Amino acid sequence: MVLEQEEEVLPGAVHGHRLSTVVPSSVTGEVDYALSSADLAFKLHYLRGVYYYPAGDVVRGLATKVLKDPMFPWLDDYFPVAGRVRRAEDDAQGGAGAGEGGARRRPYIKCNDCGVRIVEAKCDRDMADWLRDDAPDRLRQLCYDKVLGPELFFSPLLYVQITNFKCGGLALGFSWAHLIGDVISAATCFNKWAQILSGKKPEPTVLTPENKPVPQGHSPAGAAAPRSVKQVGPIEDHWLVPASRDMACYSFHVTEATLKKLQQQQGRHAAAAGTFELVAALLWQAVARIRSGGVHTVTVVKADAAARSGKALGNEVKVGYAEASGTSPAKTDVAELAALLGKGVVDETDAVAAFPGDVLVYGGAHLTLVDMEQVDVYGLEIKGQRPVHVEYGMDGVGEEGAVMVQPAAAGRGRVVTAVLPRDEIESLRATLGSALQAA
């Protein structure tokens, strides 16, 4: 069933939003999908991903109906994505992650086939012009801006925004509740929809072994949160922590030539750091230079494809922290910071999952550096055509900010998205401009 409605929006480059709903093609049967304690650790965060396709024969034939039709069988496989969050009726079911003293009821997903929201929109600019413009928040205009709550039982876990550009180009924007899976889960899910759209038969989706909460033995009530995250709340049914500062999302490209120069400058530290570490260290140094207090500690989130359990949905990223001792990171050589990120990260993944309170992972305790090197962001291939550009961002980021580093198209450098307080963006641009020119 597809329900249509119109929504009024303020005038701007992206306009004419039109909402509908797509549900699984077969009845799931009111299945309850348990959320792990690791899933609940990310419940206040939202992934935003945009895939750009240029004008041409492939895009010309992609009417909204053509894009929607494969979503019905797609959601048969990924039926929890079409569900809604509920809370356990009995506090005794709370277990780990239910809140201080187990007093709050543990959330889970009721797989009731309520569906995902589809948003159709138009942009009165050419796609090439849009991509050349490095104004903050362009990504947010192409991803529908919604969070879970305050009525959890009505809140979709996924929005798909289809934006048609003036030139005939197309952008597909996904707003994904981090609760149901990390960035690898999200990208894999989107890629499977594209495979069905292209007439392929993807590998079966594995939602088992069942997602079980962490057993008893978690951190006791009143224990301090792990150093890599910040305790908040407790959060009730509106899953977004109001930021005390206005946050902006800024994306830019680090070219392959710049990367090679930076790598040549590593010297004796070259063996201790990879590309992510090098780019992340550059951003760590830049943010430290624009903040008077310095940024001595950072949270590091790594999407490790090799360490995954094989489940299609789940939060299996590694979470830890790195601390620079002695000299301020603002004055430390990028190569030294990169080496620290390569060898000096303290892993707190299990402690974060076991902590019983609500936390902010991204931008909570520290500036957060997100490694997306192993995420197949260009795998969303539509009828033989890969996106010409992909960028991921995040909502629900705390005021310390977050930096996401991902491969660029065809491996030509890296795409970096920084989510920082808006009043820091211009300073970051200036600082990075000087650093990249020096490289």
Side-chain angles (χ1 to χ4, degrees), residues 199-231:
K200 300 176 182 178
K201 187 175 181 179
E203 294 292 322
T205 299
V206 180
L207 295 177
T208 54
E210 291 184 2
N211 211 352
K212 296 295 185 183
V214 173
Q216 294 294 333
H218 58 279
S219 301
R227 287 193 61 186
S228 52
V229 301
K230 178 182 179 180
Q231 184 176 8

Side-chain angles (χ1 to χ4, degrees), residues 96-266:
E100 287 86 345
R104 287 180 294 139
R105 296 172 298 158
R106 186 185 183 92
Y108 68 97
I109 296 176
K110 173 68 72 175
C111 301
N112 52 10
D113 300 335
C114 281
V116 303
R117 289 283 191 271
I118 310 302
V119 184
E120 300 170 65
K122 298 176 182 178
C123 181
D124 49 16
R125 297 174 63 184
D126 289 343
M127 191 173 76
D129 177 50
W130 179 272
L131 287 172
R132 278 193 298 268
D133 186 356
D134 65 351
D137 293 337
R138 73 178 185 193
L139 183 148
R140 284 177 173 163
Q141 292 190 58
L142 301 178
C143 294
Y144 204 63
D145 184 19
K146 291 290 183 181
V147 300
L148 296 176
E151 296 178 313
L152 286 176
F153 44 88
F154 286 144
S155 298
L157 299 168
L158 172 64
Y159 288 81
V160 182
Q161 181 169 323
I162 304 164
T163 305
N164 290 288
F165 287 90
K166 178 182 177 182
C167 61
L170 174 75
L172 297 173
F174 297 89
S175 298
W176 171 276
H178 210 313
L179 175 85
I180 50 175
D182 54 29
V183 67
I184 291 181
S185 294
T188 302
C189 179
F190 307 153
N191 293 349
K192 286 203 171 183
W193 163 69
Q195 291 172 24
I196 298 172
L197 173 63
S198 299
K200 300 176 182 178
K201 187 175 181 179
E203 294 292 322
T205 299
V206 180
L207 295 177
T208 54
E210 291 184 2
N211 211 352
K212 296 295 185 183
V214 173
Q216 294 294 333
H218 58 279
S219 301
R227 287 193 61 186
S228 52
V229 301
K230 178 182 179 180
Q231 184 176 8
V232 294
I235 304 300
E236 298 304 328
D237 286 349
H238 193 190
W239 289 1
L240 179 68
V241 177
S244 58
R245 300 173 70 181
D246 183 21
M247 305 296 288
C249 191
Y250 167 52
S251 297
F252 62 94
H253 183 216
V254 179
T255 66
E256 191 172 11
T258 300
L259 280 179
K260 288 180 179 179
K261 290 180 181 179
L262 289 170
Q263 289 163 349
Q264 290 169 359
Q265 293 171 1
Q266 288 189 69

